[in-house]
Amino acid sequence: MLALTSVWTTVLLAAAVALGPLATDMYLPALPSLGGALGAGTDQVQLTLSIYMAGFALAQLICGPLADRFGRKPAMIGGFVLFAAASIGCALANNIETLILCRFLQAIGGSAGPVLGRAAIRDIYTPRDAARIMALLASIMALAPALAPTLGGLMLNHLGWPSIFIALAGYALVMALVVAVGIPEPMASENRQPLKLCTLMANYRSIGSDLSFVGYTLTNSLTFAGLFAFLSGSSFVLIDFLGVEPQLFGLYFGVMVLGYISGNLTAVRLGKRLLPDQILVRGLVIAVAGGSLMAGLAIMEVFRVWAVILPQAIFMMGVGMVLPQTMAGALANFPRTAGSASALFGFVQMAVAAGIGALVGHLHDGTSLVMAVIIAASAVAALATYLLLVQRHPAAGFEPVSGGVPGQAS
């Protein structure tokens, strides 16, 4: 097996965490055609995306404590197997109701990757190092959503939409095998928590009352909501409204992902000389600039592909700087209950995203206006949350160090 601090362990964890984005991004080009295939309206089709996020949110509250009791690997492997089975159910669905149900089950299994990937990084590294490693992990992981829509569009055109879910099932089974044989258990045995309801509730109460956790989690969730507003509305805006071919959708989507990767790599580089919170505020300002530009263009009725993609790429550069810092900050105070902290963090993040996704679908007016305004509003709200909470309650371990090289967390 690989060493926990090996770069290849980070790569494998990124591949495991990528299962969540793949489950949304790969089938984005198929969303408009799913309505015709299954006799469903736009709001029902978008519900397959929102229900996934809602299930993802709820499942994390169970997945995290299970991982704190039994270890990261068993929970992750079990989640991947469930994800694979549910993906096959999605491929066989012959009506929208069945697809929605299977997407919910798919989310329950898929939650294991992001929750336990974050927890594993916290197990291995100090809080300050974790911010840098999470940024590196995110840049590696971003290759999946960069390629997924293009691959999904090609599969849609040549093999039909069920093939997308078959491919997701195969990926999940491969990752279950990789985690089983390639990655050591990152959680120290002395940190395992009893699986008792009173202990679980006490842990969640302690985590949820920590103002540092609340600040980083809400800042992350509101920023992620802007990203999810784009995921929820982009295929309808670009394909239905602006006439982009489904097989080309992934290329435009890739421009947005390049913005995200550039933000991740910028955070990695700046992490050598700036504090995580200093990187965070810079990312928030960039996200506000990108979201505001898109909203301004839409309000002026500049309805062009570039008026959506270029502002979103700027927004995503900010997202790439914000998300790793907020993830590390939220988990910084909880080395012994990183699984539960990661679960509560993920629950809030996905619950907010699911609500925003449903809002985009409900208010969609056939243009890019609703999506753009919601993205801008999410970025502004995230910056306000940072100023009101995070600045007043920064994470422990994010303060300057006098010397030495940060090592592994104890």
Side-chain angles (χ1 to χ4, degrees):
M1 287 191 177
L2 299 169
L4 283 174
T5 54
S6 166
V7 66
W8 288 109
T9 297
T10 302
V11 170
L12 292 180
L13 285 174
V17 172
L19 186 63
L22 279 174
T24 56
D25 300 339
M26 187 175 282
Y27 94 126
L28 287 179
L31 285 178
S33 61
L34 276 176
L38 300 177
T42 298
D43 57 339
Q44 289 178 302
V45 172
Q46 285 188 312
L47 186 58
T48 66
L49 196 58
S50 294
I51 200 70
Y52 179 87
M53 305 307 284
F56 208 94
L58 291 171
Q60 292 182 79
L61 295 178
I62 302 171
C63 179
L66 286 174
D68 281 342
R69 172 63 182 89
F70 299 107
R72 314 305 184 205
K73 287 182 60 175
M76 192 178 287
I77 293 168
F80 288 163
V81 172
L82 174 58
F83 179 95
S87 297
I88 293 172
C90 289
L92 298 176
N94 56 12
N95 56 65
I96 193 66
E97 292 79 13
T98 301
L99 180 60
I100 289 171
L101 173 61
C102 289
R103 283 286 287 172
F104 183 78
L105 295 175
Q106 191 186 42
I108 293 175
S111 68
V115 172
L116 304 181
R118 288 191 299 263
I121 294 298
R122 180 62 187 92
D123 292 333
I124 299 168
Y125 296 97
T126 63
R128 196 170 177 186
D129 273 356
R132 180 175 53 83
I133 296 299
M134 283 184 181
L136 178 61
L137 182 147
S139 63
I140 298 170
M141 189 182 75
L143 295 175
L147 300 175
T150 300
L151 180 59
L154 291 173
M155 295 177 73
L156 173 67
N157 282 346
H158 297 289
L159 300 172
W161 66 265
S163 65
I164 296 172
F165 292 104
I166 296 296
L168 288 170
Y171 184 90
L173 291 175
V174 169
M175 289 314 306
L177 180 62
V178 166
V179 170
V181 302
I183 302 176
E185 173 58 56
M187 184 183 186
S189 57
E190 62 269 18
N191 284 343
R192 299 203 175 190
Q193 302 290 309
L195 194 61
K196 297 178 181 179
L197 182 59
C198 58
T199 302
L200 174 61
M201 297 307 295
N203 285 342
Y204 277 140
R205 185 167 56 251
S206 173
I207 294 165
S209 62
D210 185 290
L211 290 177
S212 177
F213 174 86
V214 171
Y216 286 103
T217 299
L218 289 180
T219 302
N220 178 287
S221 299
L222 290 165
T223 306
F224 187 78
L227 164 58
F228 194 71
F230 180 80
L231 294 179
S232 183
S234 60
S235 57
F236 295 96
V237 169
L238 293 175
I239 296 174
D240 283 353
F241 176 53
L242 296 176
V244 172
E245 293 294 327
Q247 62 268 30
L248 297 178
F249 174 80
L251 296 178
Y252 290 110
F253 196 85
V255 175
M256 180 269 292
V257 175
L258 285 176
Y260 180 70
I261 293 175
S262 69
N264 292 149
L265 296 178
T266 299
V268 172
R269 186 174 67 253
L270 293 178
K272 297 176 181 178
R273 59 185 179 85
L274 296 180
L275 296 176
D277 280 3
Q278 293 174 314
I279 301 171
L280 171 56
V281 71
R282 286 163 170 79
L284 287 168
V285 170
I286 292 172
V288 168
S292 299
L293 176 60
M294 188 193 300
L297 290 169
I299 290 170
M300 292 186 293
E301 298 186 354
V302 181
F303 296 130
R304 299 287 187 273
V305 172
W306 67 264
V308 173
I309 295 301
L310 292 183
Q312 183 65 16
I314 296 170
F315 174 83
M316 290 303 298
M317 181 177 182
V319 172
M321 298 172 68
V322 169
L323 296 191
Q325 318 308 316
T326 50
M327 289 177 191
L331 272 58
N333 294 342
F334 308 101
R336 292 181 59 83
T337 55
S340 295
S342 179
L344 187 57
F345 171 90
F347 170 78
V348 175
Q349 181 194 61
M350 295 302 171
V352 173
I356 289 297
L359 186 64
V360 171
H362 180 70
L363 298 178
H364 180 59
D365 64 349
T367 73
S368 61
L369 179 62
V370 169
M371 181 186 75
V373 169
I374 290 177
I375 290 171
S378 298
V380 171
L383 179 58
T385 302
Y386 169 84
L387 296 173
L388 292 173
L389 283 174
V390 174
Q391 267 198 341
R392 299 179 183 181
H393 306 280
F398 276 23
E399 67 275 3
V401 292
S402 57
V405 179
Q408 228 178 320
S410 58

